[in-house]
């Protein structure tokens, strides 16, 4: 954890939220230290988007308490708004305006004008490498550039805390690592706390700490390393032509709880090498390949919820 | 740059919120967007113009409040103030449809999470729409020259102010209707079922009948706040050319006084703006995920 983590940037206590009869958050509590890069990880419907909307002040708090930078989100709403930067997943840019016009517009909403605004606009455009695009209309920009303009907008008023919803959606891998480099710089140079939601396991892995949400509850909260380490041991992935049959036999003969995940078999074990010997001796010719690895965040998710992270056809970024 | 992390005590907000600055920026944005979307200009001016030319051509002969040449008004002249209000209505509608677009395109969310108070957001949006509507109506006013209407300077200033107030009322009303809508299709339904009838029953197209002749229609039109918008424009633009000014027809039609037009239009604008502020000030759970 970073040095600034003694002070708390965000305090969430017993937050519950419902849309009509649908319960989106079922009592969530945690704290984020200042200067942390903190990720909310969860599949669709886990409640992470609701949490983001609550923290961004887009929707009102129903139950529980939220304090951002020491201010209560209910009683000091306007001051909270002035001190946070929000980057939405859906673009919030006016595509008919130029990059500079969008930034200036944002400045006016935060009380900036004149030389202060022009100077700060130049700064954020330079930080994000957008100087030569300043007078382009947003509708002519690529997805990656638009996201950079969003970030420039969010950072314009020097927020102490930056909230981002699925920041790397629609970005190619290159732009994604640029984004992460930029976030690390922000944290190191300005001590900004970064909170982001993600459904990408790979992305969550880069955060200082992760809160894993499932069905409106917090199921795990720690650094990615600690979460994986807590599973202990090794993770075996077996490729075979008949995963179900093999899983059943492994259960019957060795009492091994192997899971079928996208056509391959997975199992956690305390002693990988020994297990490999045992399995190759027993099922040798039926095993096409065998891979031994340390647990991934997906393994953590399966362990905590008893379900796979990916319920849809989307393939995980491992 | 302050590199030390803030302690538990709240950090000072670096900037004070300036609602008027925010409202001005939002208002400017409306105008810039309008200019960059040319089809909106044609949409708001073109249709009323076509209506005016075609209806005037078709209805002029059958519409005589009294024999022509004896103080009677041509339909072309009668219908002109109504057309002007229609220009306001269409521009106001386009301006408020942009709220639905702002919401759909995501622009609105960044305004909603900013510290700008809601009244300033509504003001910027409504003011931008109203100014656009007023200017479009003034452009359309140039056509009045073809009617050989002579208008005095004081009356012209009055007309500009009156058009602005009417535009403010209509844009605010459109804002209230559009705020909760998720699609522009929904707004078109509202426009056809509510806004167009409101215009048709405002004395724009036919005069308000007297209470004795057609009681229900009389009261519906008399309670329609837009009747006073159209009536005011007619007073200011055509002066004494009111249908009721003619003795023959005074008993058949009802006309609001200029004072009533001003006061009710001011009231209409204030109430519609207040309603827009109230509806935008409510924070709701919003759309489902």
């Amino acid at each position: 954890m970073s040095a600034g983590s003694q002070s708390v940037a965000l305090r969430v206590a017993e937050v519950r939220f419902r849309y009509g009869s649908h319960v989106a958050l079922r009592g969530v509590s945690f704290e984020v230290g200042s200067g942390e890069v903190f990720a909310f990880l969860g599949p669709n419907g886990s409640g992470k988007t609701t949490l983001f909307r609550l923290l961004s002040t887009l929707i009102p708090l129903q139950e529980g308490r939220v304090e951002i930078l020491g201010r209560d989100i209910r009683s000091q709403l306007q001051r909270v708004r002035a001190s946070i930067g929000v980057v939405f997943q859906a673009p919030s840019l006016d595509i008919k305006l130029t990059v500079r016009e969008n930034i200036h517009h944002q400045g006016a909403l935060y009380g900036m004008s004149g030389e202060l605004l022009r100077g700060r606009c130049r700064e954020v455009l330079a930080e994000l490498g957008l100087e030569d695009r300043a007078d382009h209309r947003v509708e002519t920009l690529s997805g990656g550039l638009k996201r950079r303009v969003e970030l420039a907008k969010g950072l314009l008023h020097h927020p102490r805390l930056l909230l981002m919803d699925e920041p790397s959606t629609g970005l190619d891998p290159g732009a994604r690592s640029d984004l992460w480099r930029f976030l690390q710089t922000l944290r190191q140079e300005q001590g900004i706390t970064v909170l982001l939601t993600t459904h990408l396991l790979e992305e969550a892995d880069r955060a200082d700490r992760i809160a894993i949400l499932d069905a409106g509850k917090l199921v795990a909260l720690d650094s990615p390393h600690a979460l994986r380490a807590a599973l202990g041991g090794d993770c075996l992935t077996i490729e075979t032509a008949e995963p179900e049959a093999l899983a059943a036999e492994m259960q019957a003969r060795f009492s091994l709880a192997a899971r079928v995940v996208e056509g391959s078999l997975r199992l956690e074990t305390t002693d990988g090498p020994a297990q490999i010997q045992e399995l190759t001796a027993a099922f040798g010719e039926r095993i096409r390949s065998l891979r031994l690895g340390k647990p991934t965040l997906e393994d953590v998710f399966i362990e905590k919820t008893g379900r796979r992270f990916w319920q849809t056809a989307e393939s995980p970024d491992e | 740059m302050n590199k030390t992390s803030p302690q538990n005590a709240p950090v000072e907000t670096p900037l004070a919120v300036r609602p008027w600055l925010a409202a001005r920026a939002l208002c400017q944005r409306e105008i810039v967007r309008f200019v960059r979307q040319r089809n909106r200009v044609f949409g708001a001016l073109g249709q009323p113009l076509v209506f005016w030319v075609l209806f005037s051509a078709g209805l002029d002969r059958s519409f005589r409040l009294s024999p022509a040449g004896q103080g009677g008004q041509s339909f072309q002249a009668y219908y002109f103030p109504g057309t002007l209000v229609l220009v306001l209505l269409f521009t106001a509608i386009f301006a408020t449809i942009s709220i639905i677009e702002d919401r759909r395109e995501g622009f609105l969310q960044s305004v909603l999470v900013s510290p700008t108070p809601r009244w300033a957001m509504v003001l910027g949006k409504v003011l931008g729409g109203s100014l656009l509507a007023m200017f479009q109506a003034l452009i359309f006013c140039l056509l009045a020259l073809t009617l050989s209407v002579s208008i005095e300077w004081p009356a012209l200033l009055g007309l500009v102010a009156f058009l602005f107030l009417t535009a403010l009322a209509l844009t605010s009303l459109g804002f209230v209707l559009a705020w909760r809508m998720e699609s522009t299709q929904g707004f078109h339904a509202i426009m056809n079922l509510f806004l167009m009838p409101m215009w048709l029953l405002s004395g724009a197209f036919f005069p308000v009948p007297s209470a004795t002749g057609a009681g229900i229609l009389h009261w519906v039109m008399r309670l329609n706040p837009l009747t006073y918008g159209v009536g005011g424009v007619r007073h200011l633009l055509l002066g004494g050319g009111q249908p009721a000014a003619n003795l023959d027809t005074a008993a058949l039609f009802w006309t609001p006084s200029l004072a009533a037009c001003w006061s009710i239009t001011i009231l209409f604008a204030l109430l519609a703006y207040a309603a827009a502020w109230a509806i935008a000030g409510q924070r709701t759970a919003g759309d489902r995920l």
Side-chain angles (χ1 to χ4, degrees), chain A residues 7-8 53 56-57 59 71 78-79 82 88 90-92 94 96 101 109-113 137 153 189, chain B residues 3 5-6 8 11-13 15 18 21 29 33 36 105-106 109-110 113-116 283 285 287-288:
Chain A
S7 66
V8 177
R53 290 170 157 210
S56 73
T57 75
I59 54 178
R71 294 201 181 98
Q78 295 306 90
R79 307 203 86 197
F88 292 96
S92 70
D94 186 330
K96 294 285 169 201
E101 285 168 338
L109 294 178
Y110 285 80
M112 302 166 80
S113 65
R137 279 207 205 161
K153 252 180 87 169
E189 292 181 0
Chain B
K3 288 193 184 180
S5 304
N8 275 352
V11 267
E12 272 319 297
T13 309
L15 299 153
R18 292 150 70 188
L21 178 76
R29 167 175 175 265
R33 272 176 75 88
R36 289 185 188 167
E105 288 169 8
Q109 52 190 4
S110 68
V113 302
S114 79
T116 296
R283 293 168 78 214
D287 41 349
R288 294 285 304 274

Side-chain angles (χ1 to χ4, degrees), chain B residues 81-160:
Chain B
T83 316
L84 215 50
V85 171
L86 189 61
V87 173
L88 293 180
L89 184 66
F90 277 157
T91 318
I93 286 169
F94 279 123
T96 41
I97 279 181
S98 75
I99 292 171
I100 302 168
E101 288 167 359
D102 286 351
R103 194 184 283 281
R104 208 185 48 216
E105 288 169 8
F107 175 80
L108 193 62
Q109 52 190 4
S110 68
V111 183
L112 293 180
V113 302
S114 79
T116 296
R118 293 290 159 90
W119 67 261
M121 179 197 81
V122 177
L123 183 69
K125 195 85 194 163
V126 167
L127 206 59
S130 306
L131 286 174
L132 287 173
M134 187 190 73
F135 279 114
Q136 298 239 62
L138 287 177
I139 292 171
F140 199 81
C141 260
L142 294 176
L143 285 173
L145 299 174
T146 64
L147 297 172
S148 63
V149 173
S150 64
I151 185 161
E152 306 289 322
W153 274 107
L156 184 67
L157 287 180
L159 181 69
V160 170

Side-chain angles (χ1 to χ4, degrees), chain A residues 43-59:
Chain A
N44 291 334
S46 59
K48 66 180 190 309
T49 304
T50 302
L51 192 54
F52 170 85
R53 290 170 157 210
L54 277 173
L55 298 179
S56 73
T57 75
L58 198 59
I59 54 178

Side-chain angles (χ1 to χ4, degrees), chain B residues 41-252:
Chain B
V41 185
F42 294 116
L45 274 180
Q47 190 172 355
L49 181 64
V50 169
F51 273 22
W52 184 59
V53 170
L54 295 184
F55 281 128
S56 300
L59 293 172
D60 202 25
R61 276 166 202 283
S62 49
F63 183 95
R64 288 286 169 197
L65 295 169
S66 65
Q70 295 170 32
Q73 223 177 3
S74 68
F75 183 72
Q76 205 179 25
Y78 175 80
Y79 184 38
F80 191 77
T83 316
L84 215 50
V85 171
L86 189 61
V87 173
L88 293 180
L89 184 66
F90 277 157
T91 318
I93 286 169
F94 279 123
T96 41
I97 279 181
S98 75
I99 292 171
I100 302 168
E101 288 167 359
D102 286 351
R103 194 184 283 281
R104 208 185 48 216
E105 288 169 8
F107 175 80
L108 193 62
Q109 52 190 4
S110 68
V111 183
L112 293 180
V113 302
S114 79
T116 296
R118 293 290 159 90
W119 67 261
M121 179 197 81
V122 177
L123 183 69
K125 195 85 194 163
V126 167
L127 206 59
S130 306
L131 286 174
L132 287 173
M134 187 190 73
F135 279 114
Q136 298 239 62
L138 287 177
I139 292 171
F140 199 81
C141 260
L142 294 176
L143 285 173
L145 299 174
T146 64
L147 297 172
S148 63
V149 173
S150 64
I151 185 161
E152 306 289 322
W153 274 107
L156 184 67
L157 287 180
L159 181 69
V160 170
F162 194 84
L163 286 174
F164 178 73
L165 276 173
T166 311
L168 199 64
L170 290 173
T171 315
S172 303
L173 182 66
F175 187 102
V176 173
L177 297 173
W179 183 251
R180 291 283 167 79
M181 278 194 186
E182 297 192 357
S183 72
T184 49
Q185 286 93 326
F187 197 83
H188 285 292
I190 291 275
M191 181 172 122
N192 287 327
L193 287 169
F194 177 69
L195 294 175
M196 283 306 284
M198 185 170 106
W199 174 79
L200 279 170
L201 295 172
S202 68
F205 204 57
F206 51 85
V208 183
S210 64
T212 47
I216 294 173
L217 189 62
H218 168 83
W219 282 106
V220 167
M221 291 177 78
R222 198 166 170 176
L223 291 174
N224 177 0
L226 199 57
T227 300
Y228 302 86
V230 173
V233 173
R234 187 165 288 134
H235 269 294
L236 292 162
L237 196 66
L238 305 174
Q242 292 287 325
N246 191 297
L247 285 178
D248 295 344
T249 55
L252 288 174

Side-chain angles (χ1 to χ4, degrees), chain A residues 67-254:
Chain A
E67 256 176 47
I68 296 182
L69 303 166
R71 294 201 181 98
D72 184 84
I73 204 170
R74 276 205 190 88
S75 60
Q76 292 183 282
L77 180 65
Q78 295 306 90
R79 307 203 86 197
V80 166
R81 282 178 168 162
S83 61
I84 62 173
V86 185
V87 178
F88 292 96
Q89 181 186 3
S92 70
L93 304 169
D94 186 330
I95 56 167
K96 294 285 169 201
L97 301 186
T98 66
V99 171
R100 196 192 307 277
E101 285 168 338
N102 266 287
I103 305 274
H104 277 206
H105 196 278
Q106 177 82 358
L109 294 178
Y110 285 80
M112 302 166 80
S113 65
E115 198 40 55
L116 171 74
L117 176 57
R118 280 191 293 276
R120 188 62 194 133
C121 178
R122 274 194 299 274
E123 272 172 43
V124 287
L125 289 179
E127 273 175 59
L128 287 147
L130 288 164
E131 297 113 312
D132 51 340
R133 307 281 182 162
D135 297 308
H136 290 213
R137 279 207 205 161
V138 170
E139 61 191 344
T140 65
L141 301 183
S142 69
L145 283 171
K146 278 184 193 155
R147 189 56 53 91
R148 280 201 246 165
V149 183
E150 295 277 355
L151 255 172
K153 252 180 87 169
L155 291 169
L156 185 68
H157 59 288
H158 276 308
R160 302 302 307 153
L161 185 143
L162 185 66
L163 260 172
M164 296 197 286
D165 193 14
E166 302 279 352
S168 51
T169 301
L171 296 188
D172 59 52
R176 224 174 258 185
S177 24
D178 284 351
L179 173 75
W180 274 89
R181 251 196 308 279
F182 182 74
L183 293 182
Q184 297 295 355
T185 317
L186 271 185
R187 186 260 296 274
Q188 277 155 21
E189 292 181 0
Q190 306 181 21
I192 292 182
T193 309
V194 180
L195 287 170
L196 55 99
T197 70
T198 184
H199 68 282
L200 300 176
L201 297 154
E202 163 224 53
E203 186 160 82
D205 231 338
R206 306 174 84 152
D208 297 333
R209 283 200 303 154
I210 309 173
I212 299 181
L213 287 160
D214 184 53
K217 288 186 92 82
L218 195 66
V219 293
L221 174 68
D222 215 327
S223 70
H225 176 77
L227 285 173
R228 281 193 305 262
L231 279 190
D234 302 313
C235 189
L236 267 179
T237 310
I238 302 163
E239 301 295 337
T240 169
E242 33 175 356
E244 274 86 8
L246 206 58
E249 278 185 59
M250 280 161 68
Q251 177 70 50
R253 287 174 60 180
F254 301 107

